[in-house]
Structures are given as structure tokens and as C-alpha cells.
Amino acid sequence: MPVLHAFGHAHIDVAWLWPWQETERKMARTVANQLALFDEYPEYKFLQSQPHLYVMLHKRYPELYERVKTAIQSADLFRMAPCGWRPIQTCQEAKP
């Protein structure tokens, strides 16, 4: 029988029809929501394939960035597949 694997994903358009500050707020809200979902659903997995948004998060929302960093290091909480800066690079799951 086939098995289906599903995970949350966020693609945030950084140069859409809103100011850059809105992109920063959208990233912060997205990450905060994902952390809440991990608390509610321990088996939840999430993919954010835009590493430049984590750089922005680090600069604009350092406390939230630290929560993400801590969650990734906990091995079980922030199950995200980090991707490279170029779309051609392969995404690999951070924690087995």
C-alpha cells in the first residue's frame, strides 16, 4: 500500500506587492505559527526553503531566531529541511 508523507511549507514572496517590512512581519508570523504547531502536533514537519529569510529573521527578530535555533538543536522539535541558497541544490532533512 502506498504511503503519503506530508509536511508544512512556506514560500514567502519577498518582492511582492507589499513593502519589505511586511515580508519581515510575514516571516516572523510564519515561524511563530510553526513553533506553535510543533507544540500542538509533535509529529509535525516543516520546510522553509528560503535561507535568506532566516538571515532577515536573525537581524529583525533576534529573539524569535534564537527560539528557532534552539528548536532545531533540540533534534525533535523543529523538523525542517534546510536548503541551499541556489534552487538547484538538494534539500536534505536536518535530523534523521
Side-chain angles (χ1 to χ4, degrees):
M1 177 185 260
V3 176
L4 173 67
H5 297 276
F7 54 87
H9 177 263
H11 174 86
I12 299 172
D13 290 318
V14 296
W16 190 237
L17 302 175
W18 50 68
W20 175 251
Q21 292 80 10
E22 184 59 23
T23 299
E24 294 174 329
R25 289 188 294 270
K26 283 180 181 293
M27 179 58 177
R29 286 191 307 268
T30 298
V31 168
N33 287 334
Q34 300 317 303
L35 291 169
L37 286 169
F38 286 129
D39 289 340
E40 190 171 349
Y41 304 101
E43 70 283 358
Y44 182 67
K45 296 185 186 298
F46 173 69
L47 169 65
Q48 168 42 271
S49 58
Q50 297 167 278
H52 57 284
L53 292 178
Y54 286 106
V55 172
M56 178 276 307
L57 190 70
H58 183 258
K59 291 178 182 176
R60 182 77 159 87
Y61 297 95
E63 303 86 13
L64 188 55
Y65 177 83
E66 286 303 316
R67 286 181 57 204
V68 170
K69 187 174 163 183
T70 299
I72 290 170
Q73 292 170 346
S74 76
D76 285 332
L77 184 58
F78 207 87
R79 295 166 209 88
M80 71 165 270
C83 298
W85 287 91
R86 294 173 291 161
I88 198 158
Q89 290 177 313
T90 303
C91 300
Q92 298 177 1
E93 188 167 344
K95 307 286 183 200

